[in-house]
Amino acid sequence: MGGRTDVKKLIAALALASATALTLVAGASTAPSQTTSLTIYSGRDQALVKPIMDRFQRESGITLNIRYASSATLATALVEEGRNSPADIYWSQEPGTLGLVAARGLLARLPQKTIGKVPSRFTTRSRRWVGTSARSRVLVYNTQRLQAAQLPQSVWGLTNARWKGKIGIAPTNASFQAFLGATIHLFGESRVRAWLEGLKENDAAFYPNNTTVVQAVGRGDVEVGLVNHYYLYNLLADTPSLPVRNHWFRDGDPGNLVLAAGVGIVASTEKAAAAQRFVDFLHSRWAQRFIARGPGAAEYPVIKGVPRRPGLPQLSSIKGPKYNLGRLAADLTPAVRLLLEEGFIK
Amino acid sequence: VSAQAAATASSPGRRAPLLLVLAAALIGAAATLPVAYLVYRAVTADAAARALVPLETTVELTVDTAALAAGVVLSSLLVGVPLAWLVVRTDLPGRRAWGVAASLPLVIPSFVAALALLGALAPRGLLQNLLEPLGVDELPEITGYWGALAALTLSTYPYVFLLATAGLRAVDPSAEEAARSLGSGRLAVFLRVTLPALRPSLAAASLLVALYVLSDFGAVSLMDYPTLTTGIYARYEALLAIEAAAILALVLVALTVMVVLLAARVRQRGAIYRSTPGAGRQAEVVRLGAWKWPALAFCTTTTAFFLVLPLGVLTWWTVTADPIVGRGGVDWDAALNSLGAALTTALAAAVVVLPVAALAWRYPSRLSRSLERLTLFPSALPGIAVGLALVFFGSRAGFLYQSFALLLAAYLIRFMPYSLAATRASLDAVSPRLEEAARSLGRSPLGASASVVFPLARSGILAGAALVCLSTIKELPATLLLRPIGFDTLATEIWAGTAIGAYSTVAPSALALVAIAAPLVYLLSWRDAWELGAAD
């Protein structure tokens, strides 16, 4: 009770803080006008791409406002915002979300010069997006619990009772959904539904993202996990003793799907030149080298002549299923629907 | 809020100034329009969106959400009521200290509670580390229903404790004494007289707890217990399923409204009134005797589990480095953002509710009561529903989108009911005769309010502001949906850390959040402000 001085102190604190807060608000609304700035919607993890963003800002003098979220969330936001979108660039983890945004006329056409820089399987004929790196789906496994020879030769084999309680997946992850979409296209919805039900039967553990899957495999909470190949190297950089390795299924297996991360310029941008500069930067030798061999990085470069990380198999030696990434925009929606219907996303 | 006081405060003869009515109407509309828009989007959603909300999942999520809310209400009553009784009515040694310890977990947001419990009790958490030499290499999972129940009980039982404490102090001891003199034992008196007299306080506390659980997002996510809020967020995050999120949000709002109606019914049944108005006597102090030991054991256990354990885990992580993810630090920018946002919201809420409160206090009418109810309504709205509504709203009104103003609007809509309830409660205690006297001595209407009414209502308004501050600092889901690019708060930073599994690195930020929130709780308990939760 009784504390008149407390009241005075609180009033003083409130006044001071509201003054601070008002300065914050004023600052936020006036800041981006003098120098050129770009608003980037990044589906790529901050932990993976921040140095690239930093270097671009230093070299170009262009300020980046970056919204980090999942590729799907950002695609939804772009569609919801329509022409009002503050975004200039959409950098996604995978081609399906880019395709969906492009299909609604929200991505600008890229110059042939940009498209020509990358292999045709990592872009589309409509030139609305272009690959920035390539990656493969893999099975990670705990080397203390398992020998490579014990691992399944196909992703379909994970429904075998031998893997009960030992599988980790990240159902909300864009690359997992892309893999599922491609598999639905290649093998039909009912077969994929049965596979998902088999995983449920096997008590597959759900994790929020690829990093947490690999960590869980490292701790031995689960023995195997479905992820992209490069997350392992990101964690190995911090913990060289992590008992986890990548495993590829047999040639042509859908579990080896090779995907691309890609970028597009938002059609409503008023800063097309600066946006193009950002896209060009992602294809620069420095950025490509960083994506491929920077600290903790291990993706495949998409520009010729940039070497991959030592120890990785050649990209051409990874035999995924025959699948055109341009189809993903159409195949992603059924994948997400299936995950919701089967309770993988609740 | 006593009806009698309100009646004497009213000036039925006078017409309310038009400007005041317009201002109040604007605020009432602002409080409800975004949700109306959410309803519109949900109702007009196409079949494809509806397919993403399968009936089976919806029923399952609704039942699980309700079961969790019921469980947490029950467990927080079981913890909070005995603690309150021991502190208020008995000669328990160290009563005051136990009382402070019992109210302090209020500063621990549910997601921090969950984080700490996971860190301590997970299969390979700190406790397992301690037990390792004894040959324990794995503890049972604590995620799921029981984990969520524990984390949410931690964050909510103080509501029950504080309201039960206030209720016990207000109970007329003469009814209990009469029952005793008629030969009832102590337990029978407690069950048949004290508990029913506490019914309004406990109903109000249970409602606060239930609303907290229904809108919780952080703890249930971390504990991997899917509820309606996580379902909404999953659809918001999933590809092009945002209208499905709106549909599920509507289900959640419906469930919340049902809970509010249920609480109102429970509260009205079988009230026990004071035999005399005015200052009550103190109830007789119960001598515990040998029961002192089990009572102390109970207090020690709850304090150890709900206060020492979570703060201990966070401190441990702050001072030692995790072998895998290393050590973190306090994110000072985020701390400044949290503080700035909370204080701005509190100040804005205090100002914004004034027209509604003044209108309802000075010019009671059907209109002013409706406007007051409209403004109070969002207290029943889960943060994620408000956030989603403003995402829809903002993305169509381009310039507001991803601005601090829109985030502030979400905080205001969600939390200004607290400010309104506190302001109204304190205004009702001010006699209009005072204002009239000031007017008759030549003060202008505004001058009279500023020099006479405000000083008297000030402590209530400040308590409301403190509660708004506290709630804003702990807010997570609406912040996640609406924060401007690059605007991190302590809550979102902690959340981001948990998403990549870096539990220990966010411990310093979690401790900072608790440290900022603690003085606010002190302010609140200092001004018996707990009744404002009870003030409809």
Side-chain angles (χ1 to χ4, degrees):
Chain A
M1 280 278 140
R4 192 145 283 258
T5 48
D6 289 325
V7 179
K8 281 190 184 146
K9 274 185 212 153
L10 180 68
I11 293 174
L14 272 175
L16 181 72
S18 58
T20 322
L22 286 177
T23 332
L24 275 176
V25 182
S29 57
T30 53
S33 58
Q34 294 210 323
T35 56
T36 321
S37 68
L38 282 174
T39 298
I40 314 274
Y41 278 14
S42 174
R44 313 274 345 249
D45 276 352
Q46 182 167 4
L48 297 174
V49 302
K50 187 167 182 299
I52 298 177
M53 305 288 197
D54 289 347
R55 172 122 178 180
F56 176 75
Q57 300 194 70
R58 266 204 317 278
E59 282 191 0
S60 66
I62 296 171
T63 311
L64 297 182
N65 306 310
I66 310 158
R67 178 176 175 189
Y68 291 103
S70 83
S71 302
T73 309
L74 294 171
T76 310
L78 284 163
V79 169
E80 185 69 24
E81 292 156 11
R83 297 272 145 191
N84 281 328
S85 179
D88 301 302
I89 291 280
Y90 175 39
W91 191 7
S92 171
Q93 262 208 328
E94 51 72 59
T97 45
L98 282 160
L100 271 173
V101 175
R104 285 168 167 76
L106 297 171
L107 293 183
R109 198 182 284 272
L110 295 165
Q112 186 58 48
K113 199 177 81 178
T114 302
I115 299 295
K117 287 179 186 170
V118 310
S120 61
R121 67 165 163 156
F122 300 136
T123 181
T124 60
R125 251 182 238 144
S126 67
R127 307 201 327 236
R128 302 290 169 174
W129 62 268
V130 62
T132 53
S133 60
R135 62 280 290 285
S136 165
R137 297 290 299 168
V138 291
L139 186 76
V140 282
Y141 67 102
N142 184 307
T143 52
Q144 291 170 344
R145 306 281 179 93
L146 292 166
Q147 306 285 324
Q150 295 171 285
L151 296 166
Q153 286 305 300
S154 165
V155 74
W156 302 110
L158 289 174
T159 53
N160 188 309
R162 187 227 169 294
W163 301 106
K164 197 173 176 77
K166 292 174 178 163
I167 311 164
I169 57 171
T172 54
N173 174 261
S175 300
F176 180 79
Q177 295 175 352
F179 145 73
L180 215 58
T183 313
I184 289 173
H185 174 74
L186 296 167
F187 295 90
E189 186 172 319
S190 59
R191 181 137 187 227
V192 174
R193 189 188 291 275
W195 181 72
L196 286 174
E197 281 167 1
L199 286 187
K200 260 199 298 195
E201 195 83 351
N202 264 352
D203 298 328
F206 301 161
Y207 294 91
N209 49 45
N210 283 323
T211 302
T212 39
V213 171
V214 181
Q215 284 171 338
V217 172
R219 283 192 306 268
D221 293 352
V222 288
E223 291 183 359
V224 295
L226 285 171
V227 293
N228 293 345
H229 77 271
Y230 53 90
Y231 286 90
L232 168 64
Y233 297 93
N234 191 246
L235 291 178
L236 280 175
D238 290 333
T239 319
S241 62
L242 194 75
V244 181
R245 288 296 175 267
N246 283 334
H247 165 73
W248 276 270
F249 300 108
R250 67 167 166 252
D251 287 356
D253 193 81
N256 301 343
L257 181 68
V258 174
L259 289 163
V263 68
I265 295 178
V266 178
S268 58
T269 182
E270 287 162 2
K271 299 163 185 164
Q276 182 63 43
R277 204 167 156 188
F278 182 78
V279 173
D280 289 342
F281 182 75
L282 296 183
H283 285 154
S284 70
R285 286 192 74 84
W286 182 87
Q288 285 291 307
R289 207 183 147 81
F290 183 88
I291 287 172
R293 320 181 56 159
E299 289 179 80
Y300 288 99
V302 288
I303 300 292
K304 259 211 183 91
V306 180
R308 69 178 184 278
R309 183 192 178 91
L312 274 184
Q314 244 182 2
L315 184 59
S316 57
S317 75
I318 299 172
K319 301 281 190 244
K322 279 204 186 332
Y323 180 75
N324 171 7
L325 293 180
R327 279 207 49 86
L328 255 184
D331 293 333
L332 211 48
T333 329
V336 174
R337 180 174 46 76
L338 210 53
L339 287 168
L340 281 161
E341 283 176 7
E342 290 296 325
F344 280 64
I345 304 175
K346 273 201 182 165
Chain B
V1 177
S2 108
Q4 203 184 1
T8 54
S10 65
S11 319
R14 299 206 327 237
R15 279 171 62 91
L18 186 63
L19 210 60
L20 190 62
V21 177
L22 281 180
L26 199 68
I27 289 149
T32 34
L33 268 185
V35 182
Y37 189 61
L38 183 73
V39 173
Y40 166 76
R41 285 293 295 263
V43 170
T44 57
D46 59 10
R50 285 200 299 275
L52 300 180
V53 196
L55 183 65
E56 197 185 332
T57 309
T58 310
V59 170
E60 193 185 328
L61 291 177
T62 309
V63 169
D64 288 354
T65 306
L68 183 64
V72 175
V73 166
L74 189 69
S75 65
S76 63
L77 285 174
L78 287 176
V79 175
V81 175
L83 277 176
W85 186 78
L86 286 170
V87 166
V88 175
R89 288 298 185 83
T90 71
D91 62 347
L92 179 79
R95 287 188 301 276
R96 274 187 66 90
W98 291 121
V100 172
S103 32
L104 265 181
L106 206 61
V107 302
I108 304 175
S110 65
F111 55 91
V112 173
L115 173 73
L117 289 179
L118 282 171
L121 308 175
R124 287 186 180 75
L126 291 176
L127 181 64
Q128 185 270 330
N129 266 334
L130 290 176
L131 298 178
E132 185 99 56
L134 305 175
V136 179
D137 16 278
E138 195 163 330
L139 292 172
E141 282 288 347
I142 60 150
T143 51
Y145 182 83
W146 298 106
L149 182 94
L152 285 164
T153 303
L154 189 160
S155 298
T156 57
Y157 87 85
Y159 290 108
V160 176
F161 171 77
L162 288 163
L163 279 171
T165 307
L168 277 170
R169 293 212 167 98
V171 169
D172 187 349
S174 57
E176 295 174 356
E177 284 155 13
R180 289 276 286 164
S181 69
L182 292 170
S184 293
R186 216 180 275 291
L187 186 64
V189 171
F190 181 78
L191 291 178
R192 300 229 295 264
V193 181
T194 316
L195 215 48
L198 278 180
R199 186 201 290 271
S201 311
L202 297 187
S206 304
L207 177 61
L208 280 179
V209 173
L211 289 180
Y212 192 104
V213 177
L214 292 178
S215 62
D216 180 68
F217 169 71
V220 290
S221 301
L222 285 174
M223 289 296 183
D224 195 17
Y225 180 76
T227 62
L228 286 168
T229 53
T230 61
I232 294 163
Y233 193 73
R235 279 158 186 76
Y236 166 78
E237 284 226 301
L239 194 60
L240 302 182
I242 194 165
E243 275 170 337
I247 296 173
L248 213 52
L250 212 57
V251 175
L252 177 58
V253 170
L255 181 65
T256 313
V257 169
M258 268 161 53
V259 167
V260 172
L261 294 177
L262 182 74
R265 279 187 69 118
V266 170
R267 219 173 137 185
Q268 277 158 7
R269 264 202 335 243
I272 289 186
Y273 299 101
R274 298 188 70 90
S275 57
T276 55
R281 291 172 301 115
Q282 285 290 310
E284 167 206 8
V285 172
V286 176
R287 310 223 167 274
L288 286 173
W291 286 102
K292 185 167 76 181
W293 300 111
L296 279 174
F298 178 68
C299 292
T300 311
T301 313
T302 54
T303 305
F305 190 72
F306 291 135
L307 190 65
V308 178
L309 177 84
L311 294 184
V313 171
L314 295 181
T315 312
W316 172 260
W317 273 337
T318 302
V319 297
T320 61
D322 181 279
I324 292 194
V325 288
R327 188 198 309 243
V330 177
D331 186 327
W332 294 107
D333 285 339
L336 197 68
N337 285 343
S338 281
L339 199 63
L343 291 166
T344 313
T345 308
L347 194 74
V351 174
V352 159
V353 299
L354 278 181
V356 182
L359 192 71
W361 173 58
R362 211 67 176 82
Y363 308 97
S365 68
R366 188 181 293 239
L367 175 72
S368 68
R369 271 191 298 277
S370 313
L371 287 177
E372 190 183 11
R373 286 211 189 105
L374 273 188
T375 315
L376 287 173
F377 170 65
S379 65
L381 287 178
I384 199 160
V386 174
L388 194 61
L390 287 182
V391 166
F392 282 134
F393 215 62
S395 54
R396 295 297 154 97
F399 69 99
L400 266 179
Y401 190 57
Q402 289 180 0
S403 66
F404 181 72
L406 199 66
L407 180 62
L408 185 66
Y411 288 150
L412 266 179
I413 290 172
R414 179 81 173 77
F415 300 129
M416 74 184 169
Y418 301 156
S419 214
L420 178 60
T423 307
R424 273 285 276 146
S426 52
L427 278 180
D428 279 340
V430 179
S431 163
R433 306 286 165 265
L434 285 175
E435 194 214 351
E436 282 162 19
R439 295 278 304 272
S440 72
L441 292 171
R443 292 283 181 137
S444 66
L446 266 180
S449 301
S451 61
V452 177
V453 180
F454 179 71
L456 288 169
R458 191 174 57 191
S459 67
I461 292 173
L462 283 177
L467 189 56
V468 173
C469 253
L470 184 65
S471 310
T472 308
I473 283 180
K474 299 198 301 189
E475 213 290 330
L476 179 64
T479 315
L480 283 178
L481 264 56
L482 292 170
R483 66 194 170 128
I485 291 173
F487 186 86
D488 299 318
T489 66
L490 285 174
T492 62
E493 277 300 283
I494 295 165
W495 180 249
T498 58
I500 58 167
Y503 286 11
S504 58
T505 58
V506 294
S509 288
L511 272 185
L513 196 158
V514 169
I516 293 174
L520 296 167
V521 171
Y522 172 73
L523 272 171
L524 279 170
S525 51
W526 147 86
R527 201 248 151 221
D528 285 353
W530 289 99
E531 279 123 285
L532 49 99
D536 38 17

